[in-house]
Amino acid sequence: LALANGNGSIEAAAAEIDEKLGRHKQAVALFEKALHDGASEADFAMDPDMQSILSDREVSKLNKPDK
């Protein structure tokens, strides 16, 4: 991650690893950074390993405007 700072794809992959290791809060924070750095939530929508991250309330509200 230190060498790939700002690379959304690598950050998203690292978020998936954090999730698999049971570090959900870290995974969500890293995935939010990945989205900010260019990763697309749609790229991970079909990945079963990413579902717990994508369904997290913090991630879910990132792409939805407040009403």
Side-chain angles (χ1 to χ4, degrees), residues 5-59:
N5 190 25
N7 184 321
S9 296
I10 291 177
E11 292 165 343
E16 182 176 349
I17 291 168
D18 273 343
E19 184 67 23
K20 286 181 178 180
L21 293 173
R23 300 187 297 227
H24 182 73
K25 281 188 172 187
Q26 288 175 270
V28 168
L30 192 51
F31 191 69
E32 288 175 349
K33 184 174 181 342
L35 292 175
H36 176 72
D37 289 338
S40 170
E41 189 173 327
D43 292 339
F44 300 96
M46 299 304 289
D47 185 343
D49 294 326
M50 294 295 284
Q51 296 311 303
S52 58
I53 294 173
L54 294 174
S55 65
D56 188 279
R57 202 166 32 156
E58 293 300 313
V59 171

